[in-house]
Amino acid sequence: MTPHADARNVHRANLIGSLWMMAAMVAFSFEDAFVKAVSETHPVGQVLIVFGLGGTLLFAVIARIQKKSLLNPDVLSRAMGIRVVFEVIGRLFYVLALALTPLSSTTAILQATPIIVVLGAAILFGEKVGWRRWGAILIGLIGVLIILRPTTDSFSALSLLAVIGTIGFAGRDLASRAAPVSLSTSLLGFYGFVAIILAGVLFSIWDGKAFIWFDGKSVFFFLGAVLMGAFAYSALMKAMRSGDVSAVTPFRYMRLLFGIALGMTLFGEEPDMMMMIGCGIVVLSGLFILWRGKVTAQPVAPR
């Protein structure tokens, strides 16, 4: 195969991966909107349990079709245990943030996840991070502070729920890197949704609120959240396996655009200028970190 043909194939793979990533981000945004909508009428613990049950069933069917055993002994590995803990933290606090704070600001804070992942990889896995990326990490975290505005009258302590949820998701992603390779995407998805059920049970015990019977609208919201969540997860995996990571990962930030648009359209939210500035700083910092990671990974040409 000629170099020109190789380049064409890489370009095609990156294009397909980018389209899958965009589809995943659209689906994740609608999942968030469905969860927020149903959380307005049902206790958060109930939302987590029903959402987790739906996703668990769906991924169990997928694993069955793929002839994957759900009782893989590697599920009991230390990395998977850590992953479940962070999944519980991330899902619980992110859903609380969706229920109690604007969708647009919750989505904005979530965009700091790649920045925190790079920070965690440097600290935990000893990955080399040069001063430029350290600077971008610091600037990105400043962007989060601009979104939160902790020193102003507009600050709400409830916005910290999204921060804790973001840290949980970053921890989950880091633990996923250390998870045994024998665990397929469907198994990771299955046990990820099992963790959501666990989060719902624990919060329900603490919250003490009685569950509310479903009506037609809430059933629609629950089904929408489960289907969108499962599709988004699958599309994300396809994206990461179709093209170069550095080519498809930047399209993660499209979730911010869709999240803000849905927040304004469905929930009447009005993001202000400071929030938009903070979003821009977080996104640009994340993109720079990805770019620098690609540059530093390239071999140096011989002189």
Side-chain angles (χ1 to χ4, degrees), residues 197-241:
I197 298 173
L198 177 61
V201 170
L202 293 175
F203 186 75
S204 295
I205 294 172
W206 179 84
D207 194 31
K209 289 184 179 177
F211 287 5
I212 298 173
W213 193 252
F214 306 118
D215 58 17
K217 185 183 291 187
S218 60
V219 169
F220 171 76
F221 289 151
F222 273 122
L223 286 176
V226 169
L227 293 175
M228 285 294 172
F231 172 78
Y233 192 91
S234 300
L236 179 62
M237 294 301 103
K238 283 183 176 291
M240 300 305 289
R241 292 175 177 177

Side-chain angles (χ1 to χ4, degrees), residues 14-28 232 235-240 242 244-245 247-255 258:
N14 287 339
L15 176 61
I16 293 173
S18 299
L19 292 174
W20 275 118
M21 182 63 78
M22 284 189 279
M25 293 306 104
V26 172
F28 274 130
L236 179 62
M237 294 301 103
K238 283 183 176 291
M240 300 305 289
S242 296
D244 296 332
V245 172
V248 304
T249 299
F251 289 91
R252 279 179 177 268
Y253 290 108
M254 293 197 69
R255 183 172 183 174
F258 290 112

Side-chain angles (χ1 to χ4, degrees), residues 104-276:
S104 52
S105 63
T106 302
T107 306
I109 294 170
L110 183 66
Q111 304 316 302
T113 301
I115 297 173
I116 299 174
V117 167
V118 173
L119 176 62
I123 296 172
L124 299 175
F125 299 138
E127 290 193 7
K128 186 177 179 181
V129 177
W131 68 268
R132 293 180 181 86
R133 284 202 285 174
W134 277 118
I137 289 171
L138 179 60
I139 292 171
L141 296 178
I142 291 173
V144 174
L145 289 176
I146 292 175
I147 296 171
L148 294 175
R149 280 165 285 182
T151 60
T152 66
D153 293 337
S154 60
F155 171 71
S156 170
L158 292 175
S159 59
L160 295 176
L161 295 171
V163 175
I164 299 172
T166 299
I167 293 172
F169 286 142
R172 176 201 63 188
D173 291 349
L174 287 168
S176 296
R177 298 179 60 177
V181 294
S182 62
L183 298 177
S184 64
T185 298
S186 58
L187 287 183
L188 289 176
F190 175 82
Y191 285 102
F193 276 95
V194 168
I196 297 173
I197 298 173
L198 177 61
V201 170
L202 293 175
F203 186 75
S204 295
I205 294 172
W206 179 84
D207 194 31
K209 289 184 179 177
F211 287 5
I212 298 173
W213 193 252
F214 306 118
D215 58 17
K217 185 183 291 187
S218 60
V219 169
F220 171 76
F221 289 151
F222 273 122
L223 286 176
V226 169
L227 293 175
M228 285 294 172
F231 172 78
Y233 192 91
S234 300
L236 179 62
M237 294 301 103
K238 283 183 176 291
M240 300 305 289
R241 292 175 177 177
S242 296
D244 296 332
V245 172
S246 58
V248 304
T249 299
F251 289 91
R252 279 179 177 268
Y253 290 108
M254 293 197 69
R255 183 172 183 174
L256 177 62
L257 299 178
F258 290 112
I260 291 176
L262 289 174
M264 295 174 66
T265 304
L266 301 179
F267 303 104
E269 299 170 5
E270 296 181 1
D272 58 21
M273 183 57 67
M274 289 301 293
M275 178 182 158
M276 300 306 292

